[in-house]
Every structure is written in C-alpha cells, then in structure tokens.
Amino acid sequence: MSVRRLAEENVQPAAFAFSKDNAVWAKATIKKYPKGREQSAVIPLLMRAQEQDGWVTKAAIESIADMLTMPYIRVLEVATFYTQFQLKPVGTRAHVQVCGTTPCMLRGSEELISLCKKRIHPNPLTPNESGTLSWEEVECQGTCVNAPMVMIFKDTYEDLTVPQLEYIIDRFDAGKGADVKPGPQIDRIFSAPVGGPVTLLAPEKKPAAPRAKKASDDAAVSVPPSNAARPKTDAPETDPTLKTPVTAKSESAANDKVSGETKAEGGAAKPAAAAAKPSLDDKNRPAGIAKPDALDDLKLISGVGPKIEGTLHELGIFTFAQVAGWKKAEREWVDGYLNFKGRIERDDWVKQAKALAKGGEAEYIKVFGKKPR
Ligand code: FES
C-alpha cells in the first residue's frame, strides 16, 4: 500500500467551503451527536467534502476541523488513515481501488492490477490522459469471500476476472457506471455459495429409529449410534444382527451415506463430487462464430451477467439468434459447462433469446410482460 500524504501544494486550492445545500446538511449532521461529541461527525463531513470536490483537500481538512473544533492534525489523521478518502485528484468517472491483500491476490488481483496499469495509467493515483479514470491498490475491503474485488467510489464489484473488470472500467469511462450492478459479478447471491445455497435446504432424512430391545440382545454387543459414544478399540466390533463385523470405518461410511456426504481421509466432510465439466470437444457443444462487429447484449437474457457473457463470448456465442437455435443437447452442454444445474431451462434462455432476436426489448416485453433483466 502506498504512503498516504496530502497532494503537493501546487494542486491544493486556497480555500474550501461547503455548497449551500451541503452546509445545511453538515449543520444537521453535526447536530445528530450529543453536545461535546460533535467530533464524531468528522467522517461524514470529510466524505461529503470529497463528494463535492472529488477529493479531500488540505483546505477542506482545515475547514472541517474548524467546524468541529478539532486540531487540524486530528482530522488529518482520519483523512490519511482511511483509503476511502482521496488525498489528491483522481479520475472523475471512476477511481478503481483494487484489493491486493492475500485472498484477493491468490484469486487473481495481480492480473486486475496489470489491467489497470495497461488500461488506465502505469502509475497508481495518476489519472489517465482525459482525467476520467485512475486506480490504486488498497488493503482488504472486507469482501474476501468474493475475491478478487475492486471498489469504485462507494460500491464494490466482486468475483472479478480481467475481462469483467475491463467491461466495468469501460462502462464507467463512458459515463455509464450506473449500468453495472455492484456486488458479485457471477451467479451468486451476496456471499452465498456459487450456484445457490448448499446447506439448510430441507430437513435431512433421519436414520430409522433403533429397534426395540429384546431379551436376546442382552448377550449381544450393541453398537452405539455414533463414534463419539463408542469406546476406542482397534478390534472389530460385532453386531449379531449383521452378517459382517462392524468396524469403525464401515460404520462411519454408513453414517456418511445417511448424510449424503463422503468424508476425506482426515475425517473432514466434503460435498459429493460435482459433475465433470463437459469437454470443449464434445459433439454437443454449440457451434461458435467469429466475433461480429455488432454484438448482441447477451446480458439482457435473465441469468446472464457480465461474467457469463464473457464465457459465452469465449465459446463463440455472440448473438441472440445463436442462443435461440440451441437444441436440447446443446443447452445441456452449455448448462453443464457453466455449472448452472438446469438454470438455462428454468430461465428459458431459448424463449428469451427468440424474443430478443425477433424484436429486441419491445418484443421481450410483449412476450414476458416485463423488461429484460
Ligand atoms: S482480501 Fe480482498 S477483500 Fe479481503
């Protein structure tokens, strides 16, 4: 992370003043705090100053310190501590803060940084030629589970790939950043598992109740229901009701079967193996085409986000007409390739694509009674 210092004197404006509306807002914000605790408003005020001028100037720091009767150094400490505050002019349309902390780094943040260097400017905190974009590397932004991620102004964009981030930067550069939905850029709800929840789905089937005890059982060695209750021994235990001896291993396997899981050798539970990804050489893979000059916006199909669109492009799928023409086997191939678990059928991509191919959004609204996406 870079050292956070105020911008050089030659770019600092001589004075700072909140606009009329912001001054009213600042007064009301300070009043929210108890008497003697007005300094608690320092972060909201600094943030409002940044939103007004695009960055936090030295004059703004001093002005806010005066408003809150704080020593300048205290406000300077706050402004220089939090990377949310920009201490020098940044891109007017997007300042891309790429998390470079370990989880994001392990999931590809270095490639995202390389893209920023190429697409925006080789140096961090330096706006591009037109002054619209800038970038910097920051520490953990708290969405590690959806790594890698970037923050642009107050929003985070997660589960990123290089093409995905390039798309997001392009939208912001075109002044259309609002088109990009913040949060995960893949088929994931907030930080839930990819593809949907995998736990607490339905009550688990309970094992059959133990049979009633008979007098003849008294002589037999009973097998406790779990390993926890069983005294440790290496010798196989015997259940007279079974033909084969019950060992700790075989009982454990039986218990695992009930829970629908298999256990790794170390004993940790792991989900049953996922279905293998279909091969790219499979005969059911839909035919791709060369990238046409005019692409259809596949994201208009419900279930297709920027990442999935990128994957479809990699497969040579660029138009609604292509999707509309997929046969069942082809749909199944794509569904398996995207690990969608039947979502292509559930969302009826073919019907959506047919409508979009026929008459764009207007036809889609006619068919589905709502706007696409
Ligand atoms: S490590 Fe990147 S968000 Fe936490």
Side-chain angles (χ1 to χ4, degrees):
M1 196 176 114
S2 54
V3 178
R4 290 175 54 76
R5 296 215 169 93
L6 292 183
E8 296 74 28
E9 283 295 332
N10 59 351
V11 293
Q12 293 284 358
F16 170 83
F18 275 123
S19 67
K20 207 166 146 207
D21 286 352
N22 282 343
V24 172
W25 174 90
K27 222 168 155 187
T29 301
I30 295 168
K31 270 205 177 138
K32 284 183 190 167
Y33 298 93
K35 213 160 173 37
R37 295 282 183 268
E38 290 86 354
Q39 299 178 352
S40 304
V42 65
I43 287 182
L45 261 59
L46 281 170
M47 189 51 83
R48 186 55 69 108
Q50 173 164 291
E51 283 162 5
Q52 179 180 297
D53 289 356
W55 59 293
V56 177
T57 64
K58 183 175 167 214
I61 289 172
E62 292 173 354
S63 166
I64 288 168
D66 290 339
M67 288 168 77
L68 300 174
T69 352
M70 289 172 77
Y72 291 168
I73 183 67
R74 292 280 168 253
V75 184
L76 181 71
E77 282 167 355
V78 175
T80 52
F81 181 80
Y82 293 106
T83 50
Q84 281 85 350
F85 295 123
Q86 301 310 323
L87 303 176
K88 39 181 85 169
V90 290
T92 50
R93 293 191 178 153
H95 177 62
V96 184
Q97 295 185 299
V98 188
C99 172
T101 304
T102 315
C104 282
M105 192 260 285
L106 292 173
R107 301 262 301 159
S109 67
E110 283 168 324
E111 284 81 44
L112 302 185
I113 289 172
S114 301
L115 170 71
C116 290
K117 286 183 178 170
K118 201 174 90 196
R119 172 71 177 77
I120 300 174
H121 196 282
N123 300 322
L125 290 163
T126 314
N128 61 350
E129 234 176 291
S130 53
T132 52
L133 302 169
S134 56
W135 72 276
E136 71 177 309
E137 180 180 343
V138 292
E139 298 298 330
C140 178
Q141 298 289 298
T143 66
C144 331
V145 72
N146 294 358
M149 59 79 69
V150 303
M151 179 178 260
I152 300 178
F153 302 127
K154 287 180 178 171
D155 287 318
T156 57
Y157 300 85
E158 304 149 22
D159 290 307
L160 290 173
T161 58
V162 170
Q164 195 104 44
L165 179 58
E166 194 161 23
Y167 168 81
I168 292 171
I169 293 173
D170 287 347
R171 298 308 286 169
F172 272 94
D173 201 15
K176 295 188 174 165
D179 290 358
V180 189
K181 195 166 86 28
Q185 303 296 306
I186 58 170
D187 180 29
R188 179 208 289 278
I189 301 166
F190 302 119
S191 54
V194 178
V198 293
T199 57
L200 304 175
L201 295 173
E204 219 175 79
K205 203 176 159 203
K206 292 212 170 65
R211 66 187 169 85
K213 194 180 172 197
K214 289 186 200 158
S216 59
D217 287 343
D218 288 344
V221 179
S222 63
V223 180
S226 76
N227 287 341
R230 186 207 305 259
K232 293 270 176 258
T233 169
D234 287 343
E237 293 166 306
T238 309
D239 180 341
T241 64
L242 300 176
K243 284 196 177 133
T244 51
V246 176
T247 62
K249 206 170 172 187
S250 64
E251 192 198 357
S252 163
N255 287 343
D256 289 342
K257 217 171 180 184
V258 170
S259 69
E261 291 178 334
T262 56
K263 282 194 175 179
E265 253 182 55
K270 63 173 186 187
K277 199 172 182 176
S279 151
L280 286 169
D281 300 325
D282 192 292
K283 66 177 171 26
N284 291 321
R285 174 184 167 181
I289 58 173
K291 190 176 179 181
D293 290 339
L295 310 180
D296 285 338
D297 184 0
L298 298 179
K299 295 187 297 311
L300 291 177
I301 298 174
S302 167
V304 179
K307 176 161 186 212
I308 298 297
E309 185 183 49
T311 308
L312 292 172
H313 287 173
E314 281 163 19
L315 294 171
I317 311 294
F318 295 99
T319 66
F320 297 134
Q322 283 178 279
V323 179
W326 285 348
K327 301 277 178 301
K328 187 162 189 294
E330 292 171 323
R331 295 196 295 273
E332 282 171 359
W333 185 92
V334 179
D335 200 87
Y337 190 78
L338 299 176
N339 192 18
F340 256 25
K341 302 184 174 75
R343 184 157 178 197
I344 289 182
E345 292 300 323
R346 286 199 301 280
D347 288 353
D348 208 341
W349 282 19
V350 167
K351 191 173 174 189
Q352 292 188 65
K354 271 185 184 156
L356 289 163
K358 188 175 170 198
E361 291 200 29
E363 180 67 17
Y364 190 100
I365 294 168
K366 219 159 93 187
V367 174
F368 293 95
K370 59 175 186 179
K371 286 176 91 172
R373 298 203 74 204

